[in-house]
Amino acid sequence: MYAEVTVKWAVVPGKSVELYKLAGSEDAIQQRLVFPDSREIVRNVFARYTSEQGYASDREKINAEIATLVKERLAPRGIDVTTVNLRNVKPSEALQARSTARSSSSRPPSGPPRPPAPPRPSPTGAGSRRRASPAPTRSSTTR
């Protein structure tokens, strides 16, 4: 399962001095606290669901669970998480292969084979007499 998560956050004003002493800068806060904690939570939450659930049926539930856990984890450190967006969720390669196999086996044939085209008269030039020849036979393959 592949997923991208966007976490929007801000430093709580009352904890800013302590947080900046710990991390040093906003980039460091993001790299040392927000990213690692968010990644860990996303991995742990997705581990409890199947690829199919994460990709389709329970995506909103998973997003809400990730948002709650990220907010709870970062709040005591002075980081206020305002939004967590789960996006670009892609199923695992195994699920994609199963889905493709299922859809191709359940797909109805594309219709009856087309009949051969009726014979077309040959163009005749000035003063020439030619007979119309039959059109070539066509075959079609249904996949």
Side-chain angles (χ1 to χ4, degrees):
M1 175 71 59
Y2 170 83
E4 292 178 5
V5 177
T6 301
V7 177
K8 293 185 180 179
W9 58 277
V11 174
V12 175
K15 297 251 186 169
S16 62
V17 174
E18 180 183 329
L19 194 55
Y20 282 105
K21 281 182 182 177
L22 172 71
S25 69
E26 233 175 79
D27 286 340
I29 293 168
Q30 185 167 309
Q31 295 296 323
R32 295 163 94 193
L33 300 172
V34 177
F35 283 171
D37 286 355
S38 299
R39 278 191 208 114
E40 179 187 345
I41 289 166
V42 169
R43 278 193 306 267
N44 291 342
V45 170
F46 270 109
R48 294 193 301 265
Y49 293 90
T50 65
S51 292
E52 204 166 282
Q53 289 172 314
Y55 180 67
S57 62
D58 289 332
R59 187 172 171 174
E60 289 181 26
K61 178 181 174 184
I62 292 169
N63 188 63
E65 187 174 340
I66 290 170
T68 301
L69 293 171
V70 169
K71 287 176 184 180
E72 289 173 358
R73 172 82 62 90
L74 296 175
R77 295 182 174 167
I79 300 170
D80 178 34
V81 175
T82 56
T83 308
V84 175
N85 290 323
L86 185 61
R87 55 192 176 85
N88 293 337
V89 178
K90 296 177 184 171
S92 65
E93 290 179 14
L95 181 61
Q96 285 178 343
R98 277 193 309 235
S99 176
T100 303
R102 254 190 254 145
S103 67
S104 64
S105 68
S106 65
R107 187 179 302 149
S110 61
R114 293 173 47 178
R120 289 184 271 162
S122 297
T124 56
S128 67
R129 293 178 180 220
R130 298 173 96 189
R131 277 187 174 171
S133 60
T137 306
R138 296 181 187 193
S139 64
S140 64
T141 306
T142 305
R143 295 184 186 191

